[in-house]
Amino acid sequence: MQRRTLLGLVALPTLGACAGRPPRDPDAAPADAQGARLAAVIAGPQRSAANRARDAARHPYETLRFFGVAPGQTVIEIAPGGGWYTEILAPYLRGNGRLYAAHYPADAADPGRRQSRERFAAKLAAEPAVYGEVRLGTQPVDARGFVDIAPEGGADRVLTFRNVHNWLQDGHLDASLRAFHAVLKPGGVLGVEEHRAPPGTPLERMMATGYVTEALVVERAQAAGFKWAGRSEVNANPRDSHDHPDGVWSLPPTLRGGAVDRDRFLAIGESDRMTLKFVRP
């Protein structure tokens, strides 16, 4: 059973220079070689047209730069789903770095989760020139932590995109955060992107709508041993009222309501999201 938290009492640290920045001008040249490499990968042919179409809403360049992802690092992508970010991370780190994709267990009890992993594994196998160096493992789901991901010396980055609400609903958010802390090197970074609820939203509503407060994420991450290191507003969406009949799933890309208010939800766009960075001291 989920414990209640006094979310309104959690104070967020003062932001410094590492806070949010305006979206990148797509016509502007990146300021350094890493940025140029990342921009080239994002524009690369390995990405599906459907995924590239969402760049204006998901801001992969700005998000990965804020998290400090760079060639030479060991990166763990948690719950990669269909591989939206994997299409970028795998070629970006290929030949100079290491990407672990921590998916659902291959023997997950839920058939949908098993099939999701199977589809992801098939995606990797189908394009070895892009994904041949990706190591497919399992995300932690209980107190055991990672069972098949053990980078020598630890990981430089652990990244999760729009998954916190699932772990909150499934009851293993705290255990997962502790596992992320344990697998990171000292000084390693946990990057979190998640649908953002208004301050003071009750826990029950977070679990029902998929929107989570920043205060809860900061509180739970700090309890797991992390130090809060900054926020970016690159994935903010001021058009999102956070109040929809099917929660975050009313909005694109899910559009769970079908034709009902479809044009209105398309006009809102994808959800308002927090983008937070934590460090293992």
Side-chain angles (χ1 to χ4, degrees), residues 166-246:
N166 293 320
W167 303 333
L168 190 64
Q169 292 166 348
D170 291 346
H172 59 79
L173 173 59
D174 295 326
S176 291
L177 289 168
R178 289 192 296 269
F180 305 159
H181 185 276
V183 80
L184 279 165
K185 299 174 181 177
V189 168
L190 168 65
V192 178
E193 180 193 328
E194 173 62 326
H195 311 293
R196 176 167 52 192
T201 298
L203 183 61
E204 291 84 356
R205 182 158 180 79
M206 293 187 224
M207 295 173 69
T209 65
Y211 288 100
V212 180
T213 63
E214 286 192 15
L216 183 141
V217 176
V218 172
E219 177 197 29
R220 299 292 183 90
Q222 289 177 333
F226 285 102
K227 180 180 179 180
W228 194 82
R231 173 202 294 118
S232 171
E233 287 298 301
V234 68
N235 290 305
N237 181 358
R239 297 185 301 275
D240 186 3
S241 68
H242 312 91
D243 183 17
H244 315 300
D246 291 300

